[in-house]
């Protein structure tokens, strides 16, 4: 019997730095990152091309007191370096689990990682490698959400996956309101009118303009990533 085919061939996975912390106050929890990589390995095994953008909040959180009152651009550049650290850790964990990962940075640190070059990134994806985009957009004042939307559009991703700690977008905070219901689908206009705050405004506008759908799901839920790429009812789909 033939295996079912994934609903999506190429995806951009947006991970927050906080997702790597597990139960720790900051930094990287080894067990958590290994479990996430196992989920990614499963979908790569299905033939899905995977790119990743990761935040740096887990590392920057440990420097929060020292960064208080800092110039915004300087703080953003520090945040970019934090994403490079997370990207290297993620790529190392992938290599340990048999995946081939390539880290590409939006800022030049050629002794550490290679620079982002779009044709090279596309080549890696076609070869079945996981591409991890580091350092956001390479510019201050733009979030890693915006980097995910930008890179997703550039590589022709079919879907941007916003990995969170909640299994979708709800009508209210499910931790505070037991009657809150999960939206299976939302249009971009509905999400804006309801002020749901799925991504920052710049990232959201870019996805809407490029008609690049966003799937919000829980990265903590076992097997959720596979169900998303198979087109099952998992998380919330935000579309044009």
């Amino acid at each position: 019997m033939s295996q079912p085919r994934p609903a999506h061939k190429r995806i951009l996975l947006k991970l927050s730095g906080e997702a790597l912390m597990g139960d720790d106050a900051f930094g990287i929890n080894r067990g958590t990152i290994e479990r996430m990589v196992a989920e990614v390995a499963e979908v790569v095994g299905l033939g899905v091309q995977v790119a990743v953008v990761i935040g740096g909040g887990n590392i920057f959180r440990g420097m929060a007191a020292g960064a208080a009152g800092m110039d915004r651009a300087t703080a953003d550049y520090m945040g970019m370096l934090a994403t490079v650290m997370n990207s290297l850790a993620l790529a190392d964990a992938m290599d340990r689990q048999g995946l081939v990962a390539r880290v590409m940075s939006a800022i030049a640190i050629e002794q550490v990682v290679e620079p982002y070059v779009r044709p090279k990134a596309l080549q890696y994806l076609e070869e079945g490698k996981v591409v991890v985009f580091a350092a956001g957009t390479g510019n201050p004042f733009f979030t890693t959400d915006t980097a995910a939307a930008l890179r997703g559009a550039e590589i022709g991703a079919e879907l941007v996956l916003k990995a969170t700690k909640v299994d979708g977008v709800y009508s209210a905070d499910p931790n505070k309101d037991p009657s809150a219901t999960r939206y299976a689908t939302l249009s971009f206009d509905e999400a804006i009118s309801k002020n749901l705050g799925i991504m920052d405004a710049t990232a959201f506008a870019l996805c809407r303009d490029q008609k690049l759908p966003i799937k919000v799901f829980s990265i903590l839920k076992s097997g959720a990533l596979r169900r998303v790429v198979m087109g099952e009812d998992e998380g919330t789909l935000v579309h044009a």
Side-chain angles (χ1 to χ4, degrees):
M1 182 179 294
S2 61
Q3 291 281 358
R5 293 185 178 181
H8 307 285
K9 180 183 177 183
R10 181 178 293 170
I11 62 171
L12 188 293
L13 176 62
K14 168 59 172 66
L15 290 170
S16 68
E18 288 81 355
L20 301 183
M21 296 191 305
D23 295 327
D24 299 340
F26 55 85
I28 299 169
N29 182 284
R30 175 55 60 181
T32 298
I33 196 171
E34 288 176 351
R35 184 187 57 75
M36 289 181 184
V37 168
E39 299 263 336
V40 173
E42 185 177 13
V43 300
V44 170
L46 296 171
V48 179
Q49 297 174 10
V50 180
V52 181
V53 169
I54 190 164
N58 58 317
I59 294 174
F60 204 68
R61 181 176 296 188
M63 303 183 291
M70 184 178 290
D71 175 76
R72 170 64 190 274
T74 300
D76 282 356
Y77 280 118
M78 290 173 65
M80 291 179 212
L81 295 175
T83 72
V84 174
M85 295 168 68
N86 278 340
S87 296
L88 288 169
L90 185 64
D92 178 75
M94 288 179 174
D95 290 340
R96 290 173 183 271
Q97 293 201 36
L99 293 175
V100 180
R102 294 288 183 268
V103 179
M104 307 188 85
S105 173
I107 56 177
I109 325 175
E110 294 189 33
Q111 292 91 335
V112 182
V113 293
E114 63 182 290
Y116 168 66
V117 179
R118 179 176 175 269
K120 193 70 174 178
L122 293 171
Q123 178 187 329
Y124 287 151
L125 290 169
E126 292 287 351
E127 292 171 351
K129 298 178 174 69
V130 178
V131 181
V132 185
F133 296 121
T137 66
N139 302 285
F141 307 106
F142 291 95
T143 68
T144 49
D145 275 353
T146 300
L150 178 63
R151 297 291 181 247
E154 285 181 315
I155 66 171
E158 298 169 14
L159 188 66
V160 170
L161 277 63
K162 170 87 175 187
T164 69
K165 295 181 178 180
V166 183
D167 64 340
V169 180
Y170 281 76
S171 57
D173 187 341
N175 295 318
K176 298 178 181 178
D177 185 355
S179 65
T181 56
R182 177 178 65 87
Y183 296 106
T185 63
L186 282 167
S187 71
F188 284 110
D189 290 340
E190 285 174 327
I192 292 171
S193 66
K194 295 177 187 292
N195 196 29
L196 294 174
I198 293 166
M199 281 183 162
D200 72 76
T202 304
F204 203 72
L206 180 55
C207 286
R208 181 186 60 184
D209 293 347
Q210 296 299 316
K211 296 181 172 55
L212 179 58
I214 305 165
K215 174 75 85 165
V216 183
F217 76 108
S218 173
I219 193 64
L220 304 178
K221 192 175 176 183
S222 179
L225 181 58
R226 184 184 191 280
R227 289 190 291 274
V228 167
V229 301
M230 296 304 293
E232 298 178 22
D233 180 20
E234 183 70 46
T236 299
L237 179 67
V238 186
H239 59 89

